[in-house]
Amino acid sequence: MASSSHRRRQQPKPDRDFEWRPVRGPLVAVAAVAVVALAVTLVVAFRPGSAAGAAGQDRAVAASASAPGSTADPAAPASPKPSTASPKPSASTRTTPSASASATPSATPAKRTASGAARASSATTTAPAAGRIRPGTTYQGVATSYDVGNGDGACSYGPTSDVMTAAMNTADYETAKACGAYVSVRAASGAAITVRITNECPAPCTAGQLDLSRQAFAKLAPLSAGRITITWSLLSPATSDTVSIRYKTGSTQYWCGIQAIGHRNPLARLEVRTSGGWLALARTDYNYFLSEQGTGCGAEIRLTDIYGEQLTVPALAVRPDVVQRTGVQFARH
């Protein structure tokens, strides 16, 4: 039923030419019977719960809604309100993300990937295989000194008369990757020297620290200073030496350790030739590359420096603890 707020449809006005006159006699009786029958029919038709009553109500609602300016009947069932509860995931919800959900997260990784590639490209321009010690970078730290004895150290180069050497802190030593590197060291006073890394300085040496030979330290400051502030950077020096190869004591065709000596630039990788191609050997902290099963022992050797340059050394006999010259050297940078 329409509420009072809804406008009711106007009843048609009586025809002006029609004049009603009372009818008497049999017509009155017939009319009375018809009225009673109509009333009974209407009562049955619109009884609550009957199909006809429901259809009549639907037609009434439709008629009310189609009337000009009409609004929905409050008595009619209202459209269900959206639920505020979280819906249970359906198969489509679990497997098909919405466009808006997938667009946002994918944009950030793309940017990250692009910026990461740019940084990598910039770094690999000068030293694609560099580790912690990179060309063109100045490091800050402190210098201390120690007695180098016969010149041997963790890099296993053996005794030497060269006293312009240093031990690198463990962090920058990086499992012997710093071995053989030449670094320029400068003190706050302006004094500067060049040393070669032949040893490792364990804790309490900290990142950035160099433990210089006493002879090298004395060129920067009096030994009595004990500890001084320094800056240092990687060098690619001029040299007339060529790279040499040494097989470790105990090496055979079934097991061997291989070491490169005298390389101008830090060595990034050592590989041996096998029937399946080049095989990279694992580096130890005492600066030998090991072939545990003897693969490639006595075969060709390929050396790669931190700049990505590669040198191929012809096959050498497995002669333990013998330094064998190769005649090749990395380019200067």
Side-chain angles (χ1 to χ4, degrees), residues 43-55 57:
V43 170
V44 173
F46 289 93
R47 185 176 69 237
S50 68
Q57 290 179 352

Side-chain angles (χ1 to χ4, degrees), residues 201-248:
C201 182
C205 276
T206 58
Q209 183 172 348
L210 293 177
D211 204 19
L212 304 174
S213 68
R214 289 181 179 177
Q215 295 86 338
F217 188 96
K219 292 182 179 297
L220 298 178
L223 289 176
S224 58
R227 183 185 184 95
I228 61 174
T229 300
I230 60 167
T231 58
W232 55 274
S233 57
L234 183 67
L235 290 179
S236 179
T239 179
S240 58
D241 287 344
T242 58
V243 178
S244 297
I245 296 295
R246 177 165 54 192
Y247 278 94
K248 193 178 187 306

Side-chain angles (χ1 to χ4, degrees), residues 18 24 192 195 242:
F18 174 78
R24 291 183 168 65
V195 295
T242 58

Side-chain angles (χ1 to χ4, degrees), residues 9-18:
R9 299 187 64 178
Q10 298 293 327
Q11 295 295 327
K13 295 181 180 180
D15 192 339
R16 294 178 181 176
D17 297 331
F18 174 78

Side-chain angles (χ1 to χ4, degrees), residues 13-213:
K13 295 181 180 180
D15 192 339
R16 294 178 181 176
D17 297 331
F18 174 78
E19 182 179 358
W20 181 82
R21 294 181 181 84
V23 179
R24 291 183 168 65
L27 292 178
V28 173
V30 174
V33 172
V35 169
V36 172
L38 178 60
V40 172
T41 302
L42 292 175
V43 170
V44 173
F46 289 93
R47 185 176 69 237
S50 68
Q57 290 179 352
D58 292 343
R59 286 193 297 271
V61 171
S64 175
S66 63
S70 65
T71 58
D73 190 338
S79 299
K81 295 182 179 179
S83 172
T84 57
S86 300
K88 294 182 180 179
S90 62
S92 61
T93 302
R94 289 192 298 269
T95 61
T96 308
S98 65
S100 60
S102 61
T104 301
S106 64
T108 302
K111 291 181 180 179
R112 288 178 183 168
T113 301
S115 61
R119 287 195 298 270
S121 175
S122 175
T124 57
T125 300
T126 55
R132 287 178 58 89
I133 304 175
R134 307 186 69 83
T137 302
T138 299
Y139 299 88
Q140 296 183 345
V142 296
T144 50
S145 66
Y146 77 110
D147 183 2
V148 297
N150 65 3
D152 197 7
C155 292
S156 305
Y157 289 137
T160 178
S161 59
D162 181 12
V163 294
M164 295 303 289
T165 60
M168 181 66 73
N169 67 83
T170 297
D172 295 321
Y173 183 76
E174 200 175 6
T175 314
K177 200 166 189 176
C179 285
Y182 290 87
V183 295
S184 174
V185 186
R186 183 175 296 275
S189 64
I193 57 171
T194 296
V195 295
R196 186 169 66 105
I197 304 302
T198 60
N199 209 345
E200 177 185 10
C201 182
C205 276
T206 58
Q209 183 172 348
L210 293 177
D211 204 19
L212 304 174
S213 68

